[in-house]
Amino acid sequence: MNTQEMLDIALDLAGLDHCPADAAVIVPGENIHKVLVGIDMNTPELLVGKIMGYDCVVSHHPRNTDLKGINDLFREQMYAMAAHGVPLNAAQKLIESQAKKIDDNDHGFNYNRNASAAEVLQMPFVCIHTPAAIIVEPAIQKMMDEHFGDKPRTKIKDIMDVLGAISEYKKAPFPPKIGVGSPESYAGKILVNMSGVTGGGPDVYKAYFQAGVGTLILMHASEQDIKAVSEQNIGNIIVAGHMASDSYGMNRIFEAWEQEGLEVTRMSGVIY
């Protein structure tokens, strides 16, 4: 197998007919048999791969992909908001406000640090971000719908029980937690929001709540975001966990590679 075929499998699993900006074959390679994979694979992990005789290193988080395109991916969150009842014009203003902060940070980013190390080491290097997020988000949403779609009095503690039974969350050193709300809080409409590069922030979450969402399940949320949403006193937030959520999506990709005969070694944040 070659690196492009590996990436194509990930895209197929995510149902994508194009490669998003935060996924790429950074350094191509042929005859891949042994793969070293992780959530964050930087220069030290590339060296480990080289020393240990791996044919390819794969990172979940972007490493020298299309930076401008990644910002555009973030902006696409406005369409997800509109699909859940937020007026598109309002969603656009909220997302553009956050996107500008991301744009402003790009100028200080050493974007090719790890990619250049892979090139010097002649180590095939692949990044897969959004495809994994697209895999985990609808999978968890489907579980929520199946368990609670016909139960209007679902409480946050019920959701926590379902999340806690999923292997990646069950094994995580930091399991899912209630960010805003309590175990006895009624959940209302449950929305899993894990794609779109990163979270939208408290104003975006407020817009979802005002549009009828009762509980957001996020990968992660900062202390500042949790405080702001608590003060809004509208909806609930469950923080599912960053590494566990990323691992869920990536593990489905790794399993597909293993079925094709690749030997996959997981490290650097992957829970399995």
Side-chain angles (χ1 to χ4, degrees):
M1 186 178 294
N2 62 40
T3 46
Q4 186 59 53
E5 289 169 339
M6 293 167 61
L7 179 58
D8 287 343
I9 287 173
L11 298 177
D12 287 344
L13 285 173
L16 293 169
D17 59 6
H18 67 285
C19 186
D22 57 354
V25 173
I26 297 169
V27 176
E30 300 285 339
N31 300 316
I32 307 298
H33 300 285
K34 293 177 59 181
V35 186
L36 187 65
V37 303
I39 302 301
D40 293 285
M41 302 297 274
N42 301 314
T43 299
E45 289 80 15
L46 287 163
L47 283 167
V48 170
K50 187 71 173 181
I51 292 168
M52 299 302 293
Y54 285 89
D55 303 316
C56 179
V57 172
V58 177
S59 179
H60 170 60
H61 286 140
R63 297 292 181 264
N64 197 36
T65 53
D66 177 4
L67 289 179
K68 185 179 185 300
I70 290 176
N71 294 350
D72 291 339
L73 275 178
F74 176 80
R75 287 179 164 88
E76 289 183 8
Q77 286 194 38
M78 69 180 75
Y79 303 117
M81 295 174 69
H84 290 93
V86 181
L88 183 57
N89 62 304
Q92 182 183 33
K93 291 185 182 300
L94 290 170
I95 292 298
E96 282 295 342
S97 175
Q98 291 295 101
K100 185 179 184 304
K101 298 176 184 177
I102 298 175
D103 291 339
D104 291 343
N105 289 332
D106 285 346
H107 293 80
F109 181 51
N110 186 353
Y111 70 94
N112 77 335
R113 176 183 178 186
N114 301 295
S116 62
E119 291 170 357
V120 170
L121 290 168
Q122 297 182 352
M123 171 57 72
F125 193 24
V126 177
C127 170
I128 300 171
H129 190 234
T130 282
I134 289 178
I135 290 169
V136 64
E137 185 178 86
I140 304 302
Q141 185 68 62
K142 182 180 179 182
M143 293 180 196
M144 295 299 115
D145 294 344
E146 289 176 348
H147 279 86
F148 308 121
D150 61 348
K151 297 177 181 177
R153 295 190 180 183
T154 294
K155 293 184 177 181
I156 296 297
K157 63 181 181 182
D158 303 319
I159 299 174
M160 298 296 287
D161 288 342
V162 172
L163 287 175
I166 299 168
S167 178
E168 285 82 358
Y169 296 114
K170 186 175 183 179
K171 296 178 181 178
F174 301 101
K177 70 175 185 179
I178 301 170
V180 180
S182 73
E184 294 297 324
S185 296
Y186 287 113
K189 180 181 177 181
I190 305 164
L191 177 63
V192 181
N193 187 359
M194 294 185 177
S195 62
V197 183
T198 188
D203 290 338
V204 168
Y205 305 148
K206 181 179 181 179
Y208 274 118
F209 296 140
Q210 290 176 329
V213 172
T215 299
L216 285 169
I217 301 178
L218 310 175
M219 279 194 187
H220 49 78
S222 69
E223 181 181 350
Q224 293 89 338
D225 287 356
I226 292 297
K227 182 176 183 294
V229 174
S230 296
E231 292 172 351
Q232 292 167 3
N233 197 31
I234 303 176
N236 308 300
I237 285 181
I238 293 175
V239 179
H242 194 168
M243 295 302 106
S245 300
D246 283 345
S247 294
Y248 184 99
M250 291 298 280
N251 278 330
R252 306 294 82 78
I253 296 168
F254 301 153
E255 289 163 0
W257 289 348
E258 288 169 332
Q259 289 174 5
E260 293 296 323
L262 290 186
E263 178 184 332
V264 179
T265 300
R266 295 160 172 85
M267 63 171 291
S268 188
V270 177
I271 301 166
Y272 62 100

